[in-house]
């Protein structure tokens, strides 16, 4: 698209140069000031989603972003979210190298300064040599961001960090060149006040602040990538090539080059490249990617098929009906992208307050400098007090408040099999009052199991199961596998099958111990003119009423037995639902399966079986609509799922919780992951997230409270820079110790 071309209603930009959530908010505010524009900027994915009326040009939007101090470029519809994998790995490695190098250089500076026994003649100059790369090259990202913010008349955490580092270094260099710092051995010289005339260097303060903040940035960078991975994983599921039939000749082409009305050939085991209609052949299609259900869908001539689903049994010819962005698969990817964009990153409290805090600290420091100079006339005392104010306000504790709590909380979660993706989810978890569960693979096992065998008069259950299991063992259909597995568990070795034939969409036929056996849908028996006796018809009707799947078997010209199969609830589901109810959370069941099946499962696990708490027959876009409906009603929603079909709903929910036993797409789209698949851990995950958030809040409160108490002391001249440095270190220790309390947080499922 040309930069002069008018934009459609919705467009996405890749945004560069953001360093925190405040940056995203600034860009978003700038874009929303344009008439007719509704923008959402996602710091995690480094994208801006802009919804606009026709007539607004690309240049106008890009200019607005650039005026805010950042870069922007249009994204293609299928482009990866954020940086590429190679770019991300390269950037993370560069940040890791910066952190490790700075930590190694800071270690001797810290020990020289804090332990008098390690000091020697002119150690201060060596401290300068070691710390110089740290406070320049190591802290360069903070200095650069601070300068950029200054250009746009804004302040953030980067401003505080840069000022603190520069102030500590400036004072230390001044003390070395014009003071008597180089002649002093004792690191505690002059700590009792400003009257001793002895100067201390604060290279360790500048260096350790830089290392701590770099460590926090490194942890943040590792977590940021998760949102973009969801869409990458989803796009990877699509077919890359297709076999096109032209004039009787088959040729392989790139799936992107398919056109509407092309004829494609899909063999068993291959992915269907795009949406279309079957014009020749019949088969079973694995639709789990779309519906999340384990039972394949049988298709014949005239049936529609969906791209990225898998052809299981027969050879198909498909006429292409939709390509590119119009396909169901592309629509699912768009749903994930849009849902992520609506979840704007939470502004960190530190970033919000710093916009006021930084100018206030600078003003206090300046007033302190002037006041002391006017009142006392001693430039040294004036500068010392002013520098003490800046150092005491250095945001080391603020920088540690979030990453240390998140690190300890996530470590505790990892021990329990709970993965917390980042700090943003913690903010949302506090408000959760509704938990929406996908059925298949989440509340249930996701595997079809034999529930019952109903036999005609005169037929023994064991004999029927052995014969039916032998025939079904030759089939790959999930229903057949469930019956065969049950038969093998009960009898071990099953008889051999001869003349096996798979009847697509109907069932199977074969010879077992010299007897012709058919198993399948009741339509198959009707086709064979085999009557179904009353008890077996009742069994079929009861199975359907309970939401189960049933097949009927016949041999010797008569219907002999009905096998009922179903996806069973997990043994832990009922307990998990009860725990969530005890926490005051309302459970909702959401599934692509039929309503009868959903109601039956809900009753078994303790979910209220009504049309509000149980939603059956919903497709991926409808799942997103249900989540939005609940959110529009004022509910804070957590979504628990495991399939590709759940990805968009997981992204749309206030908190997305994925089962680790499910697909990578679901896990990447989620905020929390339950590695074991035990949904009892959902309650623990919510409890742990809330505890971690409370700890972060306490840490941030302490960090600011410490400043509020210490700054007046520094300004009054009762706290020289060395005391300020020690106080800052103590505040950091407190934050770390408070975060470590998360290792002992009590959870319900323990």
């Amino acid at each position: 698209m040309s930069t002069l071309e008018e934009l459609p209603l919705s467009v996405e930009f890749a945004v560069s140069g953001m360093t925190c959530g405040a940056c995203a908010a600034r860009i978003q505010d700038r874009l929303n000031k344009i008439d007719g524009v509704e923008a959402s900027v996602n710091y995690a994915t480094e994208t801006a989603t802009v919804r606009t009326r026709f007539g607004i040009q690309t240049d106008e939007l890009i200019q607005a972003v650039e005026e805010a101090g950042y870069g922007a470029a249009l994204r293609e519809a299928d482009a990866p979210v954020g940086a590429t994998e190679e770019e991300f790995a390269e950037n993370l490695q560069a940040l890791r190298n910066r952190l490790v190098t700075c930590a190694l250089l800071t270690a001797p500076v810290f020990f020289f300064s804090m332990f008098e026994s390690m000091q020697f003649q002119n150690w201060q100059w060596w401290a300068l040599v070691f710390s110089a790369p740290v406070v320049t090259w190591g802290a360069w990202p903070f200095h650069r961001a601070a300068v950029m913010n200054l250009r746009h008349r804004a302040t953030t955490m980067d401003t505080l960090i840069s000022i603190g580092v520069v102030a500590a270094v400036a004072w230390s260099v001044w003390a070395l060149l014009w003071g008597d710092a180089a002649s002093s051995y004792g690191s505690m010289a002059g700590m009792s006040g400003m009257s001793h005339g002895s100067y201390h260097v604060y290279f360790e303060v500048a260096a350790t602040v830089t290392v701590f903040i770099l460590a926090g940035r490194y942890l943040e960078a590792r977590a940021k990538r998760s949102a973009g991975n969801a869409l990458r994983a989803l796009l990877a599921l699509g077919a890359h090539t297709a076999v096109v039939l032209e004039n009787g000749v088959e040729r392989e082409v790139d799936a992107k080059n398919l056109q509407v009305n092309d004829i494609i050939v899909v063999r068993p085991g291959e992915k269907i490249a795009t949406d279309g209609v079957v014009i020749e052949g019949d088969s079973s299609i694995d639709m789990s990617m779309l519906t999340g259900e384990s039972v394949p869908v049988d298709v014949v001539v005239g049936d529609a098929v969906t791209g990225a689903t898998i052809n299981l049994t027969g050879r198909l010819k498909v006429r292409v009906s939709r390509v590119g962005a119009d396909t169901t698969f592309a629509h699912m990817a768009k749903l994930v992208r849009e849902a992520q964009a609506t979840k704007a990153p939470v502004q960190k409290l530190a970033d919000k307050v710093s916009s006021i805090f930084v100018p206030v600290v600078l003003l206090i420091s300046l007033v302190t400098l002037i006041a002391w100079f006017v009142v006392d006339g001693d430039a040294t005392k004036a500068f010392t007090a002013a520098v003490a104010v800046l150092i005491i306000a250095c945001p080391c504790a603020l920088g540690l408040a979030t990453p240390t709590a998140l690190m300890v909380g996530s470590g505790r979660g990892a021990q329990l099999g709970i993965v917390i993706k980042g700090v943003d989810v913690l903010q949302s978890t506090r408000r959760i009052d509704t938990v929406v569960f996908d059925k298949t693979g989440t509340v249930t096992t996701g595997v079809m199991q034999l529930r019952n065998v109903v036999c005609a008069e005169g037929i023994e259950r064991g004999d029927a199961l052995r014969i039916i299991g032998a025939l079904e063992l030759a089939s790959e259909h999930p229903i057949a596998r469930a019956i065969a597995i049950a038969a093998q568990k009960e009898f071990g070795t099953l008889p051999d099958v001869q003349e096996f034939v798979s009847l697509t969409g109907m069932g199977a036929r074969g010879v077992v111990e010299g007897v012709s056996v058919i198993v399948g849908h009741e339509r198959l028996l009707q086709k064979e003119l085999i009557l179904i006796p009353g008890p077996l018809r009742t069994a079929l009707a009861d199975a359907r009423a309970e939401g189960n799947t049933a097949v009927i078997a016949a041999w010797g010209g008569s219907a002999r037995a009905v096998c009922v199969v179903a996806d069973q609830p997990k043994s832990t589901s009922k307990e998990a639902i009860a725990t969530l109810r005890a926490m005051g959370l309302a459970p909702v069941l959401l599934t692509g399966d039929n309503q009868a099946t959903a109601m039956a499962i809900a009753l078994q696990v303790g979910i209220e079986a009504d049309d509000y708490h149980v939603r059956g027959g919903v497709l991926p876009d409808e799942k997103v609509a249900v989540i939005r409906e609940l959110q529009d009603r004022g509910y804070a929603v957590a979504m628990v799922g495991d399939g590709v079909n759940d990805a968009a709903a997981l992204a749309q929910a206030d908190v997305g919780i994925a089962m680790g036993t499910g697909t990578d797409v679901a896990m990447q789209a989620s905020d929390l992951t339950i590695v074991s698949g035990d949904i009892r851990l959902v309650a623990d995950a919510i409890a742990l997230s809330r505890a971690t958030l409370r700890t972060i809040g306490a840490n941030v409160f302490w960090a600011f409270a410490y400043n509020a108490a210490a700054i007046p002391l520094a300004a009054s001249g009762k706290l020289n820079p060395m005391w300020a440095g020690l106080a800052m270190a103590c505040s950091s220790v407190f934050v770390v110790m408070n975060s470590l309390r998360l290792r002992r947080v009590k959870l319900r499922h323990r």
Side-chain angles (χ1 to χ4, degrees):
M1 182 181 293
S2 167
T3 58
L4 297 178
E5 188 176 344
E6 293 183 349
L7 295 174
L9 283 177
S10 182
V11 67
E12 285 190 341
F13 293 89
V15 181
S16 59
M18 293 189 294
T19 61
C20 63
C23 299
R26 190 175 303 122
I27 299 171
Q28 185 169 297
D29 290 341
R30 185 64 65 93
L31 288 171
N32 286 329
K33 288 180 180 179
I34 302 175
D35 186 38
V37 167
E38 180 183 349
S40 177
V41 181
N42 193 319
Y43 170 54
T45 60
E46 299 178 335
T47 59
T49 301
V50 180
R51 295 173 178 84
T52 175
R53 59 174 171 76
F54 287 97
I56 297 180
Q57 298 176 342
T58 307
D59 279 350
E60 186 175 352
L61 298 173
I62 292 178
Q63 184 179 354
V65 176
E66 291 177 344
E67 287 176 353
Y70 307 90
L74 278 173
R75 292 184 68 259
E76 299 295 332
D78 58 350
V81 179
T84 65
E85 290 292 339
E86 293 77 13
E87 291 171 338
F88 172 71
E90 183 179 343
N91 294 337
L92 191 63
Q93 183 63 45
L95 184 55
R96 185 189 297 115
N97 292 341
R98 188 184 298 269
L99 172 60
V100 172
T101 303
C102 290
L104 292 174
L105 290 171
T106 299
V109 178
F110 178 82
F111 287 112
F112 290 163
S113 303
M114 303 306 297
F115 299 98
E116 193 168 342
S117 60
M118 299 186 64
Q119 295 175 1
F120 50 88
Q121 186 68 39
N122 293 323
W123 67 268
Q124 296 91 341
W125 291 102
W126 285 103
L128 172 60
V129 171
F130 280 105
S131 62
V134 177
V135 300
T136 53
W137 171 76
W140 175 245
F142 316 137
H143 301 322
R144 181 179 58 193
V147 172
M148 184 180 70
N149 291 328
L150 181 62
R151 288 172 52 196
H152 297 280
R153 299 181 298 279
T155 57
T156 65
M157 284 288 296
D158 290 311
T159 310
L160 280 173
I161 297 166
S162 181
I163 291 175
V165 170
V166 171
V169 173
W171 168 260
S172 300
V173 172
W174 183 89
L176 276 176
L177 296 177
W178 292 284
D180 63 352
S183 64
S184 175
Y185 276 82
S187 62
M188 303 298 164
M191 290 182 60
S192 60
M194 298 182 298
S195 61
H196 296 285
S198 185
Y199 301 94
H200 186 80
V201 293
Y202 307 106
F203 296 119
E204 80 282 3
V205 174
T208 49
V209 166
T210 301
V211 170
F212 282 147
I213 303 302
L214 282 175
R217 292 288 172 88
Y218 176 73
L219 293 174
E220 180 184 7
R222 292 183 60 181
K224 272 181 62 179
R225 190 57 177 167
S226 59
N229 285 343
L231 192 58
R232 284 183 174 81
L234 182 59
L235 293 173
L237 292 177
H240 300 292
T241 61
V243 177
V244 176
L245 183 65
E246 292 182 346
N247 301 321
V249 179
E250 298 180 5
R251 64 184 182 91
E252 189 173 278
V253 301
D254 192 317
K256 294 181 180 179
N257 297 328
L258 289 173
Q259 302 293 322
V260 175
N261 292 324
D262 281 348
I263 306 299
I264 60 175
V265 177
V266 189
R267 299 178 179 84
E270 293 181 345
K271 287 184 180 179
I272 300 174
T274 190
D275 295 357
V277 178
V278 178
I279 61 173
E280 183 180 308
D282 50 54
S283 183
S284 295
I285 305 297
D286 181 358
M287 296 282 289
S288 59
M289 184 279 297
L290 180 65
T291 66
E293 303 305 316
S294 54
V295 180
V297 176
D298 299 317
V299 296
V300 296
V301 174
D303 288 340
V305 292
T306 303
T309 57
I310 301 174
N311 181 26
L312 296 178
T313 54
R315 184 176 184 271
L316 297 175
K317 289 184 182 178
V318 177
R319 184 183 302 278
V320 175
S321 59
R322 289 183 292 186
V323 297
D326 296 329
T327 64
T328 303
F329 181 72
H331 183 58
M332 288 181 63
K334 184 181 179 183
L335 286 174
V336 176
R337 195 194 306 273
E338 290 181 348
Q340 289 179 344
T342 60
K343 291 174 46 175
V346 179
Q347 288 285 334
K348 305 293 190 296
L349 179 60
D351 283 322
K352 289 181 177 180
V353 178
S354 66
S355 61
I356 302 173
F357 181 70
V358 176
V360 170
V361 169
L362 290 174
L363 180 61
I364 294 174
S365 180
L366 180 61
V367 171
T368 300
L369 177 69
I370 296 173
W372 271 100
F373 188 78
V374 171
V375 173
D376 193 271
D378 190 333
T380 299
K381 290 183 178 181
F383 187 71
T384 301
V387 170
V389 170
L390 289 174
I391 292 179
I392 204 72
C394 195
C396 185
L398 281 174
L400 289 171
T402 295
T404 55
L406 186 60
M407 184 164 51
V408 178
S410 60
R412 170 70 166 151
Q415 293 176 338
L416 306 176
I418 303 167
V419 179
I420 303 174
K421 293 290 183 70
V423 69
D424 291 346
V425 63
L426 306 178
Q427 299 278 4
S428 300
T429 305
R430 178 174 57 184
R431 302 182 294 104
I432 294 300
D433 53 30
T434 302
V435 183
V436 177
F437 289 93
D438 171 58
K439 178 181 73 71
T440 305
T442 303
V443 175
T444 67
T445 62
V447 179
M448 302 295 286
Q449 297 177 1
L450 180 67
R451 295 193 64 181
N452 194 17
V453 180
V454 181
C455 299
E457 186 177 356
I459 302 297
E460 294 292 331
R461 178 191 176 280
D463 294 337
L465 180 58
R466 189 175 64 87
I467 293 172
I468 299 170
L471 178 65
E472 298 288 55
L473 185 61
S475 175
E476 293 297 321
H477 198 282
I479 294 175
R481 288 200 300 269
I483 298 172
I485 290 172
Q488 286 180 313
K489 287 182 178 180
E490 190 164 331
F491 301 104
T493 304
L494 299 175
D496 293 330
V497 179
Q498 288 81 38
E499 303 177 21
F500 176 83
V501 178
S502 177
L503 306 172
T504 304
M506 301 289 283
R509 178 195 305 273
V511 177
V512 181
E513 296 181 335
V515 179
S516 179
V517 182
I518 59 173
V519 180
H521 197 277
E522 59 185 295
R523 294 195 307 269
L524 179 59
L525 271 68
Q526 293 171 355
K527 184 179 179 182
E528 297 290 331
L529 302 178
I530 298 175
L531 295 177
I532 302 175
L536 297 187
R537 286 192 177 277
T538 300
L540 289 170
D542 290 344
R544 285 193 291 266
E546 295 173 1
N548 299 326
T549 301
V551 295
I552 189 165
W555 59 86
S558 301
R560 303 292 186 175
V562 169
C563 292
V564 181
V565 298
D567 186 9
Q568 297 291 309
K570 294 178 179 177
S571 60
T572 58
S573 294
K574 189 172 184 178
E575 180 185 347
I577 298 299
T579 302
L580 290 171
R581 283 183 173 276
M583 295 174 64
L585 304 175
V588 175
L589 189 64
L590 194 63
T591 177
D593 211 339
N594 62 76
Q595 185 72 1
T597 300
M599 287 288 191
I601 295 296
L603 286 172
Q604 294 180 59
V605 300
I607 296 175
E608 294 181 53
D610 56 45
D611 291 338
Y612 177 80
H613 292 90
V614 181
R615 312 286 184 96
V618 290
L619 294 176
D621 55 340
E622 295 170 332
K623 288 186 177 183
V624 174
V626 171
I627 300 296
R628 287 175 177 165
E629 175 197 333
L630 292 170
Q631 291 171 328
D632 291 341
R633 292 185 180 184
Y635 296 109
V637 181
M639 171 71 190
V640 186
D642 75 324
V644 175
N645 63 301
D646 301 320
L650 287 168
Q652 175 63 40
D654 297 278
V655 176
I657 305 175
M659 297 290 103
T661 52
T663 65
D664 290 340
V665 176
M667 285 184 280
Q668 296 296 343
S670 67
D671 303 302
L672 296 168
T673 298
I674 308 300
V675 177
S676 66
D678 186 349
I679 66 171
R680 291 179 297 179
L681 290 173
V682 171
D684 286 348
I686 294 174
L688 180 61
S689 296
R690 290 176 174 179
T692 305
L693 181 62
R694 289 194 300 269
T695 301
I696 291 174
N699 288 348
V700 172
F701 172 81
W702 164 255
F704 283 115
Y706 140 80
N707 278 305
I711 288 177
L713 290 175
S716 65
K718 301 183 182 300
L719 190 69
N720 76 5
M722 186 56 193
W723 279 115
L726 288 176
M728 182 197 66
C730 290
S731 71
S732 300
V733 171
F734 174 86
V735 166
V736 173
M737 295 301 294
N738 189 50
S739 298
L740 291 175
R741 293 171 59 242
L742 286 169
R743 296 186 298 182
R744 299 185 299 274
V745 63
K746 293 183 178 180
L747 302 174
R748 293 175 176 265
H749 179 55
R750 290 291 133 187

